[in-house]
């Protein structure tokens, strides 16, 4: 079968097309014909850091998020059947309960083989049925970006009428917009692109701000919210955004610390956190139980992930370059 591998080479040269024998499911495992995969910002880092990362094996199959059809099952598989349409779980060992180091180590596409292959084997509990109304590409968008947004917004109570701020128009942020609207919240959206701002409005953002032209975007947000601030911020920016986030979070509000697209090092004004009684919550994707709950909501509301485009399998490198260019709105996928 054809697979993409990440090897110890600089830049996108680390991504190479290879041939491997088709895997066979052992006891408790399922074999899946992969039909689609979705890229995350993390996958860019895995590929680009491969040559300097001593923790990474000599070669791994990249990408955590995939969808396909079960074509064979090993012995002792109870809840999955041949023919099931499934998606991968980002951390197959995080079934429920709090995250632990062991569960985190099971994440796909970095220390363990991922899904960018014609066939993949997963533990039975490491796959979950796709909502029936979704294409394979749409379903592949769920395991990391959607579940991260869902975990962030459901961990603490988000009342209808609340205000949620999303940063940018990547995968996590657009899922957060869609879920926040499901929960009856209003959404403020940032983007660095005038064209994407039009699309944010079409998706229902009630206030949009260009973070390139309005560098102190906390100010218009405070004006818009009548001096109160926002209830929940989906923080994917990091270095360049956290200070503004702390300025426009409301008293008692929550900032979900999720990403670091502008850098991971920040100087924080501790006073603004304690004096405003702000909760900073670290979010790392989510458990299988959360995934099931999220899929129930997606199915009930026929929610459609925003997929920007899907590249053919052979063009995985072009897909990575496209994600890096940040021209995308929502998810970038690969059809296998
Ligand atoms: N903790 C977790 O479990 C978890 C899970 C998934 C992702 N993440 C992290 O979350 C971040 C986003 O991931 P993703 O997959 O959604 O990425 P993505 O699809 O590549 O989107 C990144 C977006 O960030 C926006 N952006 C860039 N600079 C910005 C700035 N200064 N202010 C506001 N927005 C800015 C851009 O939006 P515009 O193009 O509209 O300007 C860009 O499209 C990454 O750091 C990723 O590693 C964490």
């Amino acid at each position: 079968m054809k697979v993409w591998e990440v090897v110890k080479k600089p830049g996108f040269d680390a991504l190479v097309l290879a041939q491997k024998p088709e895997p066979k499911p052992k006891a408790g495992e399922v074999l899946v014909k992969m039909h689609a995969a979705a890229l995350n910002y993390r996958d860019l880092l895995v590929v680009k850091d491969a040559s300097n990362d001593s923790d990474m094996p000599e070669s791994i199959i990249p990408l955590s998020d995939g969808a396909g059809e079960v074509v064979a099952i090993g012995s002792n598989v109870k809840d999955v059947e041949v023919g099931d349409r499934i998606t991968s779980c980002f951390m197959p060992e995080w079934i429920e309960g709090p995250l632990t180091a062991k569960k985190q180590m099971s994440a796909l596409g970095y220390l363990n083989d991922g899904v960018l292959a014609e066939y993949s084997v997963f533990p039975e509990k490491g796959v979950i049925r796709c909502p029936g109304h979704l294409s394979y590409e749409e379903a592949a968008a769920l395991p990391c970006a959607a579940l991260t947004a869902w975990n962030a917004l459901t961990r603490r109570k988000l009342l209808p009428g609340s205000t949620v701020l999303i940063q940018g128009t990547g995968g996590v942020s657009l899922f957060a917009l869609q879920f926040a609207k499901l929960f009856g919240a209003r959404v403020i959206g940032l983007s660095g692109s005038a064209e994407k701002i039009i699309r944010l409005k079409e998706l229902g953002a009630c206030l949009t701000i260009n973070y390139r032209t309005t560098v102190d975007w906390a100010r218009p947000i405070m004006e818009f919210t009548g001096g109160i601030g926002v209830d929940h911020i989906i923080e994917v920016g990091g270095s360049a955004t956290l200070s503004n986030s702390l300025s426009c979070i409301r008293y008692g509000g929550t900032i979900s610390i999720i990403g670091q697209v502008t850098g991971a090092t920040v100087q924080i004004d501790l006073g603004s956190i304690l004096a405003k009684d702000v909760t900073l919550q670290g979010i790392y994707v989510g458990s299988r139980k959360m995934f099931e709950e999220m899929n129930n909501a997606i199915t009930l509301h026929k929610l459609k992930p925003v997929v920007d485009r899907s590249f053919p399998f052979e063009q995985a490198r072009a897909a990575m370059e496209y994600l890096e260019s940040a021209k995308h709105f929502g998810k970038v996928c690969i059809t296998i």
Side-chain angles (χ1 to χ4, degrees):
M1 67 167 180
K2 285 189 274 188
V3 301
W4 282 95
E5 288 186 321
V6 179
V7 298
K8 303 269 176 183
K9 288 189 178 169
F12 288 119
D13 285 344
L15 200 57
V16 292
L17 194 54
Q19 283 283 342
K20 276 194 160 183
E22 198 179 296
K24 296 205 175 353
K26 296 199 279 287
E29 291 181 340
V30 302
L31 175 69
V32 178
K33 166 69 189 80
M34 303 307 298
H35 285 295
L39 294 179
N40 291 292
Y41 192 82
R42 165 185 183 260
D43 303 314
L44 271 183
L45 303 180
V46 169
V47 172
K48 290 174 70 184
D49 294 349
S51 57
N52 301 318
D53 189 336
S54 54
D55 292 335
M56 240 180 82
E58 282 306 303
S59 74
I60 57 120
I61 299 173
L63 272 54
S64 53
D65 298 3
E69 183 186 346
V70 176
V71 289
I73 56 174
S75 57
N76 295 333
V77 169
K78 294 186 177 63
D79 296 328
V80 180
E81 292 176 5
V82 170
D84 281 354
R85 297 169 79 246
I86 59 86
T87 53
S88 54
C89 292
F90 183 89
M91 285 173 266
E93 290 190 25
W94 191 5
I95 307 297
E96 60 184 333
L99 182 57
T100 62
K102 183 166 178 282
K103 293 171 186 173
Q104 195 189 76
M105 291 291 283
S106 70
L108 304 181
Y110 172 48
L111 300 179
N112 309 297
D113 276 341
V115 302
L116 197 50
E118 289 182 302
Y119 292 88
S120 296
V121 158
F122 302 98
E124 175 184 15
K125 291 287 180 203
V127 300
I128 193 155
R129 280 193 190 85
C130 303
H133 66 291
L134 299 185
S135 68
Y136 281 119
E137 285 76 10
E138 289 163 341
L142 303 178
C144 178
L147 189 53
T148 300
W150 177 266
N151 183 1
L153 291 175
T154 55
R155 197 178 288 186
R156 285 164 65 86
K157 197 184 282 178
L158 184 72
L159 291 173
S162 302
T163 307
V164 172
L165 170 67
I166 60 155
Q167 300 176 340
T169 55
V172 174
S173 300
L174 290 192
F175 275 115
L177 181 153
Q178 290 177 297
F179 291 142
K181 287 188 66 66
L182 267 193
F183 302 146
R186 63 177 179 176
V187 178
I188 299 175
L190 305 177
S191 178
S193 145
E195 282 166 25
K196 292 181 186 180
I197 277 181
I198 295 170
R199 298 181 69 186
L200 266 182
K201 286 185 183 143
E202 286 166 1
L203 275 181
C206 64
L207 173 69
T208 50
I209 304 172
N210 188 320
Y211 61 77
R212 292 190 206 280
T213 52
T214 306
V215 179
D216 60 341
W217 41 262
R219 195 178 39 76
I221 289 175
M222 289 307 287
E223 279 166 21
F224 181 76
T225 56
I228 291 174
V230 302
D231 297 271
H232 197 132
I233 299 179
I234 300 296
E235 241 296 333
V236 301
S239 298
T241 52
L242 189 58
S243 167
N244 262 319
S245 291
L246 285 168
S247 298
C248 66
I249 190 72
R250 70 174 293 163
Y251 279 72
T254 303
I255 302 180
S256 286
I257 304 292
I258 290 174
Q260 46 194 44
V261 290
T262 67
T265 311
V266 284
Q267 258 200 318
I268 300 185
D269 170 14
L270 292 176
S272 61
I273 298 172
L274 63 94
K276 285 170 89 174
D277 191 17
V278 173
T279 299
L280 297 190
Q281 60 177 14
I283 295 288
Y284 193 49
V285 193
S287 67
R288 180 196 165 85
K289 184 160 184 290
M290 295 174 205
F291 202 158
E292 284 168 348
E293 289 163 355
M294 176 182 80
N295 275 356
N296 283 343
I298 288 175
T299 303
L300 187 66
H301 292 277
K302 296 280 179 283
L303 188 146
K304 283 277 205 178
V306 180
V307 174
D308 178 291
R309 60 183 283 197
S310 192
F311 288 76
F313 184 71
E314 281 71 20
Q315 291 177 24
R317 206 188 276 200
M320 286 264 174
E321 285 165 354
Y322 183 66
L323 188 79
E324 189 182 41
S325 76
K327 290 188 187 128
H328 61 289
F329 184 85
K331 294 299 295 181
V332 178
C333 294
I334 293 172
T335 302
I336 302 175

